[in-house]
């Protein structure tokens, strides 16, 4: 059903034509996303309209400055190439020229061209899709390598700082404000058993073995659009967390969200599996997209990154469960605990098969 507020806000953007409707769209956990349709001189043209979640993104204007800079860089690098307007997001400016607009309640909105004839998948089906997604995120990393100018803003400080995520978890567990810890005994014990892995990537960065790069930081599978005909990666989306980070944060999140055929919130944990052929295709695609820019340590730690980022995000789901579901959108009781369980099961599989995955990387 059309959302009245979103249709009203749409009129504040410099769109051509008449607003037809705006309906909730997509499966994102953070922002409110709408599919907006306009009648543009007799043709229906689609856009993505989003209300930013400002309880999570506390400095939306700085965030939009990052997004605008990144997209201007992408546009200049893609200029003149085939399909350039599908291969990077394009912001529609507000009527006052800013890259966003604010409504009467002070909420921040932005509008993008809709990427047509492409799909963002929640579950990856084939190794060919894995190669395509890996290549797209790798190419995005390499595209951003020479963005230049000042350091990008940190839109969420300590986003992939796993030790800091552990400290937040410890505090949530100590407070247990919803009396839910008793429902998550096994998961809490699992955290205790592997918490020692948390600082490894940041320690290696501090020691100079892993470089800081401009990274996407939210490279889950449904944040890349694959072409409906060729299956190739078309466009990386969801740019809110682009900031300084590590390539392994990106590769790790891609592993987390792609290697298992089960949904992130699947309740039957027998369905959580580690598809090694999918992992191999992700590695090949990502390395091809990166085009030689990763160092030896970054390549060797690709299997470990999958395990660490999956642990970190499972930990965030568990923390949110303990805190009363205040961060991720949820649709049912225990939703965050279900999500945590799939992540932790996958961590177990990634740890059990770590040597085999290392052989996969060495063979590429
Ligand atoms: P969230 O931060 O909430 O995950 P996203 O920016 O990822 O929000 O958008 C949610 C979903 O909307 C995406 O997974 C994708 O399916 C769809 N989407 C977002 N931007 C576009 C776009 N420009 N064109 C087509 N679909 C899009
Ligand atoms: C969120 O925005 P979305 O749905 O693509 C989250 C990620 C998590 C992911 C888990 C800003 O991603 O960090 O890995 O959910 N984004 C933010 O599915 O917290
Ligand atoms: Mg998203």
């Amino acid at each position: 059903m059309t959302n009245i507020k979103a249709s009203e806000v749409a009129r504040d953007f410099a769109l051509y034509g008449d607003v037809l409707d705006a309906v909730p769209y997509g499966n994102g956990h953070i922002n409110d996303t709408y599919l907006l349709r306009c009648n543009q001189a007799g043709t229906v043209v689609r856009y993505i309209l989003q209300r930013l979640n400002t309880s999570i993104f506390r400095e939306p204007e700085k965030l939009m400055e990052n997004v605008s800079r990144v997209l201007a860089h992408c546009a200049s690098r893609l200029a003149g190439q085939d399909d350039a307007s599908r291969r990077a997001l394009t912001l529609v400016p507000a009527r006052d020229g800013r890259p966003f607009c604010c409504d009467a309640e002070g909420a921040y909105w932005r509008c993008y061209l809709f990427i047509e004839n492409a799909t963002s998948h929640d579950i990856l089906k084939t190794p060919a899709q894995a190669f395509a997604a890996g290549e797209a995120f790798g190419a995005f990393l390499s595209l951003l390598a020479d963005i230049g100018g000042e350091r990008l803003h940190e839109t969420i400080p300590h986003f992939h700082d796993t030790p800091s995520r552990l400290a937040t978890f410890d505090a949530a567990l100590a407070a247990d404000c919803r009396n839910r810890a008793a429902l998550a005994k096994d998961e809490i014990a699992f955290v205790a058993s592997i918490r020692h892995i948390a600082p490894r990537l940041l320690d290696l960065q501090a020691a100079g073995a892993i470089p800081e790069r401009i990274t996407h930081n939210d490279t889950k599978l449904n944040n890349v659009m694959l072409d409906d005909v060729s299956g190739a990666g078309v466009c990386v989306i969801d740019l809110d967390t682009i900031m300084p980070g590590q390539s392994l944060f990106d590769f790790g999140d891609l592993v987390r969200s792609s290697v298992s055929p089960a949904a992130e919130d699947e309740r039957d944990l027998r369905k959580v599996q580690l598809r090694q052929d999918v992992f191999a295709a992700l590695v090949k695609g990502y390395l091809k997209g990166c085009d030689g820019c990763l160092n030896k340590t970054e390549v060797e730690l690709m299997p470990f990154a999958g395990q660490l980022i999956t642990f970190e995000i499972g930990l965030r789901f568990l923390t949110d469960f303990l805190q009363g579901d205040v961060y991720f959108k949820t649709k049912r009781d225990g939703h965050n605990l279900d999500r945590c369980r799939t992540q932790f099961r996958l961590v177990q599989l990634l740890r059990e098969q770590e040597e085999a995955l290392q052989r996969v990387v060495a063979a590429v």
Side-chain angles (χ1 to χ4, degrees), residues 28 95 97 114 130 268 294 305 316:
R95 293 202 184 278
F114 190 93
D268 180 354
L294 301 188
R316 289 174 58 199

PDB file of all heavy atoms in Angstrom, residues 28 95 97 114 130 268 294 305 316:
ATOM      1  N   GLY A  28      16.125  -4.715   3.749  1.00  0.00           N
ATOM      2  CA  GLY A  28      17.183  -4.129   4.582  1.00  0.00           C
ATOM      3  C   GLY A  28      16.788  -4.133   6.056  1.00  0.00           C
ATOM      4  O   GLY A  28      15.601  -4.055   6.391  1.00  0.00           O
ATOM      5  N   ARG A  95      15.100  19.576  -4.277  1.00  0.00           N
ATOM      6  CA  ARG A  95      14.835  20.789  -5.062  1.00  0.00           C
ATOM      7  C   ARG A  95      15.744  21.940  -4.638  1.00  0.00           C
ATOM      8  O   ARG A  95      16.007  22.849  -5.417  1.00  0.00           O
ATOM      9  CB  ARG A  95      13.365  21.205  -4.947  1.00  0.00           C
ATOM     10  CG  ARG A  95      12.446  20.195  -5.615  1.00  0.00           C
ATOM     11  CD  ARG A  95      11.106  20.753  -6.011  1.00  0.00           C
ATOM     12  NE  ARG A  95      10.289  19.666  -6.552  1.00  0.00           N
ATOM     13  CZ  ARG A  95      10.362  19.226  -7.801  1.00  0.00           C
ATOM     14  NH1 ARG A  95      11.176  19.799  -8.674  1.00  0.00           N
ATOM     15  NH2 ARG A  95       9.611  18.218  -8.208  1.00  0.00           N
ATOM     16  N   GLY A  97      18.842  21.544  -4.034  1.00  0.00           N
ATOM     17  CA  GLY A  97      20.188  21.224  -4.504  1.00  0.00           C
ATOM     18  C   GLY A  97      20.983  20.320  -3.579  1.00  0.00           C
ATOM     19  O   GLY A  97      22.041  19.815  -3.956  1.00  0.00           O
ATOM     20  N   PHE A 114      16.489   4.047  -9.765  1.00  0.00           N
ATOM     21  CA  PHE A 114      16.283   2.608  -9.552  1.00  0.00           C
ATOM     22  C   PHE A 114      17.123   1.848 -10.570  1.00  0.00           C
ATOM     23  O   PHE A 114      17.091   2.147 -11.762  1.00  0.00           O
ATOM     24  CB  PHE A 114      14.794   2.275  -9.748  1.00  0.00           C
ATOM     25  CG  PHE A 114      14.432   0.879  -9.327  1.00  0.00           C
ATOM     26  CD1 PHE A 114      13.966   0.634  -8.039  1.00  0.00           C
ATOM     27  CD2 PHE A 114      14.570  -0.196 -10.214  1.00  0.00           C
ATOM     28  CE1 PHE A 114      13.641  -0.661  -7.637  1.00  0.00           C
ATOM     29  CE2 PHE A 114      14.244  -1.488  -9.806  1.00  0.00           C
ATOM     30  CZ  PHE A 114      13.782  -1.722  -8.515  1.00  0.00           C
ATOM     31  N   ALA A 130      28.341 -16.327  -7.071  1.00  0.00           N
ATOM     32  CA  ALA A 130      29.364 -15.996  -6.068  1.00  0.00           C
ATOM     33  C   ALA A 130      30.533 -15.274  -6.735  1.00  0.00           C
ATOM     34  O   ALA A 130      31.045 -14.275  -6.218  1.00  0.00           O
ATOM     35  CB  ALA A 130      29.859 -17.277  -5.380  1.00  0.00           C
ATOM     36  N   ASP A 268      16.000 -23.905  11.358  1.00  0.00           N
ATOM     37  CA  ASP A 268      16.508 -25.273  11.286  1.00  0.00           C
ATOM     38  C   ASP A 268      18.013 -25.215  10.983  1.00  0.00           C
ATOM     39  O   ASP A 268      18.421 -25.043   9.827  1.00  0.00           O
ATOM     40  CB  ASP A 268      15.756 -26.034  10.183  1.00  0.00           C
ATOM     41  CG  ASP A 268      16.241 -27.472  10.071  1.00  0.00           C
ATOM     42  OD1 ASP A 268      17.220 -27.838  10.756  1.00  0.00           O
ATOM     43  OD2 ASP A 268      15.637 -28.226   9.283  1.00  0.00           O
ATOM     44  N   LEU A 294      45.602  -6.540  -3.325  1.00  0.00           N
ATOM     45  CA  LEU A 294      45.707  -7.067  -1.949  1.00  0.00           C
ATOM     46  C   LEU A 294      47.118  -7.574  -1.669  1.00  0.00           C
ATOM     47  O   LEU A 294      47.786  -8.106  -2.565  1.00  0.00           O
ATOM     48  CB  LEU A 294      44.724  -8.225  -1.740  1.00  0.00           C
ATOM     49  CG  LEU A 294      43.247  -7.934  -1.960  1.00  0.00           C
ATOM     50  CD1 LEU A 294      42.411  -9.128  -1.514  1.00  0.00           C
ATOM     51  CD2 LEU A 294      42.796  -6.678  -1.233  1.00  0.00           C
ATOM     52  N   ALA A 305      38.905 -14.327   7.841  1.00  0.00           N
ATOM     53  CA  ALA A 305      38.007 -13.163   7.826  1.00  0.00           C
ATOM     54  C   ALA A 305      36.541 -13.599   7.813  1.00  0.00           C
ATOM     55  O   ALA A 305      35.700 -12.997   8.485  1.00  0.00           O
ATOM     56  CB  ALA A 305      38.308 -12.281   6.617  1.00  0.00           C
ATOM     57  N   ARG A 316      26.617  -9.330  17.364  1.00  0.00           N
ATOM     58  CA  ARG A 316      25.756  -8.134  17.344  1.00  0.00           C
ATOM     59  C   ARG A 316      24.278  -8.532  17.424  1.00  0.00           C
ATOM     60  O   ARG A 316      23.490  -7.856  18.091  1.00  0.00           O
ATOM     61  CB  ARG A 316      26.023  -7.320  16.076  1.00  0.00           C
ATOM     62  CG  ARG A 316      27.383  -6.628  16.089  1.00  0.00           C
ATOM     63  CD  ARG A 316      27.665  -5.953  14.757  1.00  0.00           C
ATOM     64  NE  ARG A 316      26.648  -4.978  14.411  1.00  0.00           N
ATOM     65  CZ  ARG A 316      26.454  -4.519  13.166  1.00  0.00           C
ATOM     66  NH1 ARG A 316      27.198  -4.950  12.168  1.00  0.00           N
ATOM     67  NH2 ARG A 316      25.501  -3.636  12.939  1.00  0.00           N
TER      68      ARG A 316
END
